[in-house]
Amino acid sequence: MNPRLSRRELLRLFSIGAAGLTGAAVLARAPSEPGGQETAPPERPHDMPLGISAGRQHPTAMDPLTFLTHFDYGRMSQLADGRTLREYELMALDQEIEIVRGMKFPAWTFNGTVPGPTLRATEGDLVRVYFRNEASHTHSIHFHGVHPAHMDGVFEQIPPGGEYIYEFIAEPFGLFLYHCHTMPVTKHIMKGLYGALIIDPKKPREPAHEMIMIMNGFDPDFDEENEFYTVNGIANYYFEHPIKVKAGELVRVYLINMTEFDLINSFHLHANVFKLYRTGTRLDQYEITDTVMLCQGERCILEFRYKYPGKYIFHAHQNEFSERGWLGTFEVVP
């Protein structure tokens, strides 16, 4: 008898409405100039904070309110040519996480959380990511954006215990993402190996209350059909813990869809409209709407202001998704 629970049985037990390419080990190689000839990989600076890889206890739970507005700008230094170097560490870890009140999920993670850290740089910066695979399966990192072929995370597969250094110029500006690109890619993304990469324009956008929202689904019985849907990893979290914003304040949402098994996901804002910047790579073109549909891996930037105080919900406009956890609230205060 198949021990897996059906979607209906899972929903009965946990009522959320009330609450591949497997190459051999490769040595890290990074170009002295992205796109140029390869040279020996840069060594990790001795004074660089090692974080998790230094033995510091990695998180066993994630606070979505903290994650919402936390951006990792990396360890910054100045290069001889005047450019900014930003260095980050990402580690693949097998980690049990909570996805809905009372339910744990055996995730594959970057740095112990789903989604992984939100990396942020400015157009033209040199980005260097030290990746170590401390998980039980082969993994890689594929960054969306422009970079050399050997920084693409497809053929350079990193086995358990292996390391790789990704290095590229941050370009163009806009909202991007990163995720594991090991076959089967669907499984590696569904299990949680993804995060956001924000590349700011050299001339900053207008100041705003900024937040990252990554839409996803969870398939805890592994039948290739999602039972729960979330923003930033825990079903119904922002409904139970409203996001406070000020009336008249500019709000900017970096929105990414990482939902597997469903072709589209969506965001609908109640009692308001937003400026919709597709991918965020243009500052002069936008739509005005209250709902956006995104395919898998698609993303956009939303900007809006609330005129009146009060509580307003936001959710997927596939009602099935919102009833299974993709539901949140903005609490607008004077």
Side-chain angles (χ1 to χ4, degrees):
M1 178 180 295
N2 191 334
R4 295 184 303 185
L5 295 174
S6 68
R7 174 186 285 199
R8 182 171 298 175
E9 288 169 328
L10 276 167
L11 293 174
R12 187 183 303 118
L13 288 172
F14 302 96
S15 176
I16 61 177
L21 289 172
T22 56
V26 292
L27 294 177
R29 297 182 64 83
S32 55
E33 286 291 334
Q37 292 185 342
E38 294 182 13
T39 61
E43 293 185 359
R44 181 186 288 113
H46 294 298
D47 62 342
M48 181 176 183
L50 296 181
I52 294 172
S53 60
R56 189 174 65 191
Q57 184 177 7
H58 60 264
T60 56
M62 179 175 121
D63 175 9
L65 275 179
T66 300
F67 179 87
L68 185 72
T69 57
H70 180 73
F71 305 102
D72 184 353
Y73 289 89
R75 179 183 185 272
M76 296 174 56
S77 59
Q78 204 74 15
L79 298 172
D81 60 7
R83 289 181 301 168
T84 297
L85 168 65
R86 295 184 189 268
E87 297 175 285
Y88 309 84
E89 284 204 353
L90 291 177
M91 181 176 293
L93 294 167
D94 297 340
Q95 179 67 51
E96 187 176 71
I97 63 171
E98 184 176 48
I99 60 173
V100 67
R101 186 180 300 171
M103 174 176 280
K104 300 289 187 177
F105 179 77
W108 296 345
T109 76
F110 288 118
N111 291 13
T113 65
V114 177
T118 300
L119 309 185
R120 193 160 186 173
T122 300
E123 185 180 23
D125 291 347
L126 181 62
V127 171
R128 184 177 294 161
V129 179
Y130 300 95
F131 173 59
R132 180 168 177 80
N133 185 2
E134 289 291 344
S136 56
H137 295 77
T138 294
H139 296 301
S140 71
I141 307 177
H142 167 62
F143 292 92
H144 286 219
V146 178
H147 46 250
H150 63 291
M151 294 292 136
D152 201 40
V154 175
F155 302 104
E156 301 78 19
Q157 294 293 306
I158 315 305
E163 294 182 333
Y164 199 80
I165 299 174
Y166 297 92
E167 185 174 293
F168 53 88
I169 300 286
E171 60 179 346
F173 71 81
L175 176 57
F176 299 94
L177 59 141
Y178 63 89
H179 59 84
C180 182
H181 214 295
T182 301
M183 295 293 185
V185 178
T186 296
K187 182 175 182 180
H188 286 245
I189 292 179
M190 179 276 294
K191 291 274 280 183
L193 285 167
Y194 51 82
L197 169 64
I198 299 173
I199 301 177
D200 292 312
K202 293 182 179 180
K203 181 180 178 181
R205 301 176 191 269
E206 180 182 354
H209 183 169
E210 295 189 324
M211 53 194 74
I212 180 73
M213 293 189 182
I214 301 181
M215 306 184 293
N216 79 317
F218 282 110
D219 174 27
D221 65 353
F222 303 104
D223 64 350
E224 299 188 357
E225 188 172 325
N226 292 315
E227 280 71 46
F228 301 105
Y229 298 88
T230 87
V231 167
N232 295 344
I234 300 179
N236 277 336
Y237 188 90
Y238 298 118
F239 184 75
E240 298 173 354
H241 304 83
I243 301 168
K244 289 188 177 182
V245 299
K246 295 179 180 179
E249 167 183 58
L250 178 62
V251 177
R252 179 175 297 123
V253 174
Y254 296 92
L255 181 69
I256 297 177
N257 179 25
M258 293 304 298
T259 311
E260 287 293 331
F261 307 131
D262 294 280
L263 294 180
I264 60 172
N265 205 331
S266 62
F267 178 103
H268 170 55
L269 186 65
H270 272 227
N272 209 340
V273 294
F274 50 77
K275 290 182 178 180
L276 169 63
Y277 295 87
R278 298 279 180 179
T279 312
T281 54
R282 295 289 298 270
L283 299 175
D284 57 342
Q285 293 183 358
Y286 58 84
E287 306 167 36
I288 296 179
T289 183
D290 63 1
T291 303
V292 59
M293 297 284 182
L294 299 179
C295 293
Q296 294 162 332
E298 195 173 3
R299 60 272 181 201
C300 59
I301 298 176
L302 317 178
E303 292 186 350
F304 55 91
R305 302 175 195 264
Y306 265 104
K307 185 175 182 180
Y308 305 107
K311 288 186 177 181
Y312 303 91
I313 66 171
F314 60 94
H315 59 91
H317 220 297
Q318 294 96 323
N319 292 328
E320 178 186 16
F321 291 13
S322 61
E323 290 165 0
R324 296 181 178 185
W326 185 162
L327 178 67
T329 305
F330 286 115
E331 182 177 351
V332 182
V333 297

Short mmCIF file of all heavy atoms in Angstrom, two decimals, residues 250-280:
data_model
loop_
_atom_site.label_atom_id
_atom_site.label_comp_id
_atom_site.label_asym_id
_atom_site.label_seq_id
_atom_site.Cartn_x
_atom_site.Cartn_y
_atom_site.Cartn_z
N LEU A 250 5.70 55.00 -0.18
CA LEU A 250 5.95 54.19 -1.37
C LEU A 250 6.41 52.80 -0.95
O LEU A 250 7.38 52.66 -0.20
CB LEU A 250 7.00 54.83 -2.26
CG LEU A 250 7.38 54.05 -3.53
CD1 LEU A 250 6.18 53.88 -4.45
CD2 LEU A 250 8.53 54.73 -4.27
N VAL A 251 5.71 51.78 -1.43
CA VAL A 251 6.06 50.39 -1.16
C VAL A 251 6.57 49.77 -2.46
O VAL A 251 5.96 49.93 -3.51
CB VAL A 251 4.85 49.60 -0.63
CG1 VAL A 251 5.22 48.12 -0.41
CG2 VAL A 251 4.33 50.22 0.67
N ARG A 252 7.69 49.07 -2.38
CA ARG A 252 8.25 48.40 -3.56
C ARG A 252 8.41 46.92 -3.24
O ARG A 252 9.12 46.54 -2.31
CB ARG A 252 9.60 49.02 -3.94
CG ARG A 252 10.25 48.35 -5.16
CD ARG A 252 11.54 49.08 -5.57
NE ARG A 252 11.26 50.45 -5.98
CZ ARG A 252 11.81 51.53 -5.42
NH1 ARG A 252 12.67 51.39 -4.41
NH2 ARG A 252 11.51 52.73 -5.85
N VAL A 253 7.74 46.08 -4.02
CA VAL A 253 7.79 44.64 -3.83
C VAL A 253 8.57 44.00 -4.97
O VAL A 253 8.22 44.20 -6.15
CB VAL A 253 6.37 44.03 -3.76
CG1 VAL A 253 6.45 42.50 -3.70
CG2 VAL A 253 5.61 44.57 -2.56
N TYR A 254 9.61 43.27 -4.64
CA TYR A 254 10.35 42.46 -5.61
C TYR A 254 9.70 41.08 -5.61
O TYR A 254 9.85 40.32 -4.65
CB TYR A 254 11.82 42.38 -5.23
CG TYR A 254 12.54 43.72 -5.27
CD1 TYR A 254 12.62 44.53 -4.14
CD2 TYR A 254 13.13 44.18 -6.44
CE1 TYR A 254 13.28 45.75 -4.17
CE2 TYR A 254 13.79 45.40 -6.49
CZ TYR A 254 13.86 46.19 -5.35
OH TYR A 254 14.50 47.41 -5.39
N LEU A 255 8.99 40.76 -6.65
CA LEU A 255 8.13 39.56 -6.70
C LEU A 255 8.70 38.53 -7.68
O LEU A 255 8.95 38.84 -8.85
CB LEU A 255 6.72 39.96 -7.12
CG LEU A 255 5.67 38.85 -7.19
CD1 LEU A 255 5.33 38.32 -5.81
CD2 LEU A 255 4.41 39.36 -7.89
N ILE A 256 8.87 37.29 -7.20
CA ILE A 256 9.41 36.20 -8.03
C ILE A 256 8.50 34.98 -7.89
O ILE A 256 8.02 34.67 -6.79
CB ILE A 256 10.84 35.82 -7.58
CG1 ILE A 256 11.79 37.00 -7.78
CG2 ILE A 256 11.36 34.60 -8.34
CD1 ILE A 256 13.21 36.74 -7.29
N ASN A 257 8.28 34.29 -8.99
CA ASN A 257 7.51 33.04 -8.95
C ASN A 257 8.45 31.85 -9.10
O ASN A 257 9.07 31.66 -10.14
CB ASN A 257 6.46 33.00 -10.07
CG ASN A 257 5.69 31.69 -10.06
OD1 ASN A 257 5.57 31.03 -9.03
ND2 ASN A 257 5.13 31.31 -11.21
N MET A 258 8.55 31.03 -8.04
CA MET A 258 9.35 29.81 -8.09
C MET A 258 8.49 28.57 -7.86
O MET A 258 8.96 27.55 -7.35
CB MET A 258 10.47 29.87 -7.04
CG MET A 258 11.52 30.92 -7.32
SD MET A 258 12.31 30.76 -8.94
CE MET A 258 13.09 29.15 -8.80
N THR A 259 7.23 28.64 -8.26
CA THR A 259 6.29 27.53 -8.05
C THR A 259 6.50 26.44 -9.09
O THR A 259 6.41 26.71 -10.30
CB THR A 259 4.83 28.04 -8.14
OG1 THR A 259 4.68 29.19 -7.31
CG2 THR A 259 3.86 26.95 -7.72
N GLU A 260 6.79 25.24 -8.65
CA GLU A 260 6.84 24.10 -9.56
C GLU A 260 5.47 23.38 -9.58
O GLU A 260 4.66 23.56 -8.66
CB GLU A 260 7.93 23.11 -9.12
CG GLU A 260 9.35 23.62 -9.39
CD GLU A 260 9.67 23.74 -10.87
OE1 GLU A 260 9.11 22.97 -11.68
OE2 GLU A 260 10.49 24.60 -11.22
N PHE A 261 5.25 22.59 -10.62
CA PHE A 261 4.06 21.76 -10.82
C PHE A 261 2.81 22.56 -11.22
O PHE A 261 1.81 21.97 -11.63
CB PHE A 261 3.72 20.91 -9.58
CG PHE A 261 4.85 20.07 -9.08
CD1 PHE A 261 5.20 20.06 -7.75
CD2 PHE A 261 5.60 19.30 -9.96
CE1 PHE A 261 6.25 19.28 -7.28
CE2 PHE A 261 6.65 18.51 -9.51
CZ PHE A 261 6.99 18.51 -8.17
N ASP A 262 2.83 23.88 -11.09
CA ASP A 262 1.74 24.73 -11.58
C ASP A 262 2.36 25.73 -12.55
O ASP A 262 3.38 26.35 -12.24
CB ASP A 262 1.07 25.48 -10.43
CG ASP A 262 0.34 24.56 -9.47
OD1 ASP A 262 -0.79 24.15 -9.79
OD2 ASP A 262 0.90 24.25 -8.40
N LEU A 263 1.76 25.90 -13.71
CA LEU A 263 2.38 26.71 -14.76
C LEU A 263 2.44 28.18 -14.42
O LEU A 263 3.33 28.90 -14.88
CB LEU A 263 1.65 26.49 -16.09
CG LEU A 263 1.75 25.09 -16.67
CD1 LEU A 263 0.98 25.00 -17.98
CD2 LEU A 263 3.20 24.69 -16.88
N ILE A 264 1.48 28.68 -13.66
CA ILE A 264 1.46 30.10 -13.32
C ILE A 264 1.13 30.29 -11.84
O ILE A 264 0.54 29.41 -11.20
CB ILE A 264 0.47 30.92 -14.16
CG1 ILE A 264 -0.96 30.41 -13.97
CG2 ILE A 264 0.87 30.91 -15.63
CD1 ILE A 264 -2.01 31.28 -14.63
N ASN A 265 1.53 31.44 -11.33
CA ASN A 265 1.12 31.90 -10.01
C ASN A 265 0.79 33.38 -10.18
O ASN A 265 1.06 33.97 -11.23
CB ASN A 265 2.21 31.67 -8.98
CG ASN A 265 1.69 31.55 -7.56
OD1 ASN A 265 0.66 32.13 -7.21
ND2 ASN A 265 2.39 30.80 -6.72
N SER A 266 0.22 34.01 -9.17
CA SER A 266 -0.24 35.37 -9.36
C SER A 266 -0.21 36.15 -8.05
O SER A 266 -0.11 35.58 -6.96
CB SER A 266 -1.65 35.39 -9.94
OG SER A 266 -2.57 34.76 -9.05
N PHE A 267 -0.32 37.47 -8.18
CA PHE A 267 -0.37 38.39 -7.04
C PHE A 267 -1.50 39.36 -7.30
O PHE A 267 -1.53 40.03 -8.35
CB PHE A 267 0.96 39.13 -6.92
CG PHE A 267 1.02 40.16 -5.81
CD1 PHE A 267 1.69 39.87 -4.62
CD2 PHE A 267 0.44 41.41 -5.95
CE1 PHE A 267 1.77 40.82 -3.60
CE2 PHE A 267 0.51 42.36 -4.93
CZ PHE A 267 1.17 42.06 -3.75
N HIS A 268 -2.41 39.48 -6.35
CA HIS A 268 -3.51 40.44 -6.44
C HIS A 268 -3.51 41.31 -5.20
O HIS A 268 -3.45 40.82 -4.07
CB HIS A 268 -4.86 39.72 -6.56
CG HIS A 268 -6.04 40.64 -6.42
ND1 HIS A 268 -6.21 41.76 -7.20
CD2 HIS A 268 -7.11 40.62 -5.57
CE1 HIS A 268 -7.32 42.39 -6.85
NE2 HIS A 268 -7.88 41.72 -5.85
N LEU A 269 -3.57 42.63 -5.40
CA LEU A 269 -3.56 43.60 -4.32
C LEU A 269 -4.97 44.16 -4.14
O LEU A 269 -5.59 44.64 -5.10
CB LEU A 269 -2.60 44.74 -4.66
CG LEU A 269 -2.34 45.79 -3.59
CD1 LEU A 269 -1.65 45.18 -2.38
CD2 LEU A 269 -1.50 46.94 -4.17
N HIS A 270 -5.50 44.11 -2.92
CA HIS A 270 -6.85 44.60 -2.65
C HIS A 270 -6.87 46.11 -2.47
O HIS A 270 -5.95 46.70 -1.89
CB HIS A 270 -7.41 43.93 -1.39
CG HIS A 270 -8.09 42.63 -1.66
ND1 HIS A 270 -9.33 42.29 -1.13
CD2 HIS A 270 -7.73 41.58 -2.43
CE1 HIS A 270 -9.68 41.10 -1.54
NE2 HIS A 270 -8.72 40.63 -2.33
N ALA A 271 -7.96 46.72 -2.95
CA ALA A 271 -8.28 48.13 -2.72
C ALA A 271 -7.20 49.08 -3.20
O ALA A 271 -7.04 50.17 -2.65
CB ALA A 271 -8.59 48.37 -1.24
N ASN A 272 -6.45 48.69 -4.23
CA ASN A 272 -5.35 49.52 -4.70
C ASN A 272 -4.92 49.04 -6.07
O ASN A 272 -5.38 47.99 -6.56
CB ASN A 272 -4.17 49.45 -3.72
CG ASN A 272 -3.33 50.72 -3.71
OD1 ASN A 272 -3.38 51.51 -4.65
ND2 ASN A 272 -2.56 50.91 -2.65
N VAL A 273 -4.05 49.81 -6.70
CA VAL A 273 -3.40 49.40 -7.94
C VAL A 273 -1.90 49.63 -7.76
O VAL A 273 -1.47 50.35 -6.86
CB VAL A 273 -3.91 50.20 -9.16
CG1 VAL A 273 -5.38 49.88 -9.43
CG2 VAL A 273 -3.71 51.70 -8.96
N PHE A 274 -1.11 49.00 -8.61
CA PHE A 274 0.34 49.17 -8.53
C PHE A 274 0.94 49.42 -9.91
O PHE A 274 0.35 49.06 -10.93
CB PHE A 274 1.01 47.95 -7.88
CG PHE A 274 0.62 46.61 -8.44
CD1 PHE A 274 1.15 46.15 -9.65
CD2 PHE A 274 -0.26 45.78 -7.76
CE1 PHE A 274 0.80 44.91 -10.16
CE2 PHE A 274 -0.63 44.54 -8.26
CZ PHE A 274 -0.09 44.11 -9.46
N LYS A 275 2.11 50.06 -9.90
CA LYS A 275 2.91 50.14 -11.11
C LYS A 275 3.63 48.81 -11.27
O LYS A 275 4.25 48.33 -10.33
CB LYS A 275 3.93 51.28 -11.01
CG LYS A 275 3.33 52.67 -11.06
CD LYS A 275 4.43 53.72 -11.01
CE LYS A 275 3.85 55.13 -11.09
NZ LYS A 275 4.93 56.17 -11.04
N LEU A 276 3.55 48.24 -12.44
CA LEU A 276 4.14 46.93 -12.72
C LEU A 276 5.32 47.09 -13.66
O LEU A 276 5.15 47.47 -14.82
CB LEU A 276 3.08 46.01 -13.33
CG LEU A 276 3.57 44.68 -13.91
CD1 LEU A 276 4.18 43.81 -12.83
CD2 LEU A 276 2.43 43.95 -14.61
N TYR A 277 6.52 46.83 -13.14
CA TYR A 277 7.74 46.88 -13.94
C TYR A 277 8.16 45.44 -14.25
O TYR A 277 8.62 44.72 -13.37
CB TYR A 277 8.86 47.59 -13.18
CG TYR A 277 8.60 49.05 -12.89
CD1 TYR A 277 7.90 49.44 -11.75
CD2 TYR A 277 9.07 50.05 -13.75
CE1 TYR A 277 7.67 50.78 -11.47
CE2 TYR A 277 8.85 51.39 -13.48
CZ TYR A 277 8.14 51.75 -12.35
OH TYR A 277 7.92 53.08 -12.07
N ARG A 278 7.99 45.02 -15.49
CA ARG A 278 8.34 43.66 -15.88
C ARG A 278 9.85 43.45 -15.79
O ARG A 278 10.62 44.14 -16.44
CB ARG A 278 7.87 43.38 -17.31
CG ARG A 278 6.38 43.47 -17.49
CD ARG A 278 5.69 42.19 -17.05
NE ARG A 278 4.24 42.27 -17.22
CZ ARG A 278 3.40 41.28 -16.92
NH1 ARG A 278 3.89 40.14 -16.44
NH2 ARG A 278 2.11 41.42 -17.08
N THR A 279 10.29 42.55 -14.93
CA THR A 279 11.68 42.18 -14.70
C THR A 279 12.49 43.32 -14.08
O THR A 279 13.58 43.10 -13.59
CB THR A 279 12.36 41.69 -16.00
OG1 THR A 279 11.51 40.74 -16.64
CG2 THR A 279 13.68 41.00 -15.73
N GLY A 280 11.97 44.54 -14.09
CA GLY A 280 12.66 45.66 -13.47
C GLY A 280 13.87 46.16 -14.22
O GLY A 280 14.67 46.91 -13.67
#
